[in-house]
Amino acid sequence: MLMMSAKLQMRQSQSLVMTPQLLQSIRLLQFSHLELQAFVDQEMERNPLLETGDGAEPDWRQNAGAEPPDLAQTPVAIADAALSGERHDGEAIADGFEAGGFEGGGFEEPAPGDRETPSTAKDASSLSPASPSGGGGGESFDGAPSIESFAEPRPSLARHALSELAEAIADPLDRRIGEALVEQLDEAGYLRIDPEAVAEALGVEPQRLRGILRRLQDQSEPAGLFALDLADCLAIQLRRLGRLDPVMETVLAHLDLLARRDFATLRRLTSEDETGLMDILSEIRRLDPKPGHAFESGPADVVVPDVVVTEAADGSWRIELNPDALPRVLVDSDYVERIATGRLSSQDRTFLTDCHASANWLVRSLDQRARTILKVASEIVRRQDGFLTRGIEGLKPLTLMAVAEAVGMHESTISRVTANKYIATPRGTFELKFFFTVAIASTGGGDPHSAESVKHRIRILVQAESIGAVLSDDDIADKLKAEGVELARRTVAKYREALGIPSSIQRRREMNARRAAS
C-alpha cells in the first residue's frame, strides 16, 4: 500500500521579467522623432509634474565626462556646441511617365583630395537617399526666412475639384454625388474606385453616376482629373485634343508593352511602322500622367535628423545630437514640495508619488536614449569615415553585430537604435540603417566591397552605355570582376532590378527608339 506525503522543496531559478517600464524603455529607444514627441506630449498631459525644459541644457551635455572613453581615442570627436541640423535638402525627383528613370540620380563625387565642409552640405545633400526634405520648414541654415516661405501657397486639390464641380454640374443632387467623388480623389487626381460599388453605396443608379463622372472628366481642368487609372487619364487628355483614334486606344490598352519598350509587338497590334510608333510615343510623353500633382495635397513629410556630423578643424568628424530632435522634459520638484506641505489624503499622496516616480523615469529614459543614439552613431561614423571623405565608393561593409560588439550592446538594441533615426552629414541626410551593407568578396583577396558601392558602380557602367554597346548582366559581372569585385550574374541582375534599371534588351530598345525619334 502506497503512502502519500506532502513535503516542501526550494528551487532557485533565473528568469527575465519584462516589466512595464522596461518594455516602455525599449519602445522609447525605437521611436522615431515624431513618435517620441507624441509620446512625451501625451505623458505631459496626464502628469502634472512634467514641464518643458526650453532653454535648459540636457543631462547628456552637462555631464562632460559621461561619454565612453574609447570615443576620445578615435578620429571622431564629440562636439560641445549644438547645431541646427538643417544641413540637408531632399532632391526633388519628378515622377513623370518617362520610364527611363534609371538615368541620373547617381552620386557626384568631389575632386580627388577635396573634402566637403559644412558650407557645401546643402549642395551635397541632394545625394541623400533619405528622399524627404529635412530641416526646419521655411528657414535657411542661418535662421533667416527662405524664399520659399514668401511663395504663395498652391490651392488644395479638393478645393480646386469642388470649384470645377460647381461649374460643370448644376443639379443639386448630382452635385452632392460629385462631392462624394471629390472625396475619393488621390494625390495624382485619380479616382481609384469601382463606379458600380460607389453607386450602390450612394444609393443611385450606376448609369447616373457614370454620367456625372463623364461630365467631370470632360470639363474639369486640368485635363485628366477624375480619371480611373493612368490609361484613362491619358485617354481623357487625348480625347480633348482630338487625337484619341483607334491606334491610340490600342496603345493605351497596352501600356505595359510601351513600358517594356516592346515596339515589335506594338507594331503588330497597331499596324504602324517604326516612325509612326515613335510619333505616338512622343505625343504620349507630352501628356501629364498625374494632373493632381499641380495642387497642394497635404503637408510634406519632413525628416528631422537625430544626429549631426560636421568636419572639425583638425580633419576629424564632430558628432552631436540634434537639439531639435530631443524633447526637453523636466520634473517640477518645487511643485511637489509645495503640495507636500499641505494636507493630502492618502489617495492624493499615492497619486502624487506615482506621478513623481513616472516623471523621474521618463527623464532618465530620455537621457539614456540620447546617450545610446550618440554612442551608436559615433561608432558608425568611425567605421564609415571613407564614405564621408570619398562618397559611396568608400562605403564599407558593416553589420549590426560588429557595431554591437564595439559598443558593448546587444544586436537587437542596435537594430532599435538605427530604426527610423537619421543622421545629417556633409553628404546629405541618411537613415542610420543605410550604413549597414553586406560584404561582397574581392577577387584578389583584398578588403571586401559593400553592396551599396557595388550598386553605385553598376549604375555608372549603365550610364556610360552607348548605342551598340549595351552591357548585359554577364558583361557587367565581367567588368566588375576585372575591377576586383566577385559577383555572380544573378546577383548583378538582382542589384540592377533594385536600382530600377531595365534589362539590356529594354535599354537597347529605348536607345533605338530615341535614335529613330531624333
Side-chain angles (χ1 to χ4, degrees), residues 104 116 130 138 151 153 180 185 251 280 334 338 364 461 463 506:
E116 292 177 329
L185 287 174
V251 174
I280 293 175
D334 295 337
R338 289 196 304 268
R364 289 194 303 269
L461 290 174
Q463 289 175 352
Q506 296 175 9

Side-chain angles (χ1 to χ4, degrees), residues 434-457:
F434 166 78
F435 297 96
F436 295 90
T437 59
V438 298
I440 298 177
S442 177
T443 56
D447 295 335
H449 306 271
S450 72
E452 291 298 327
S453 63
V454 173
K455 289 179 182 179
H456 176 61
R457 184 56 188 158

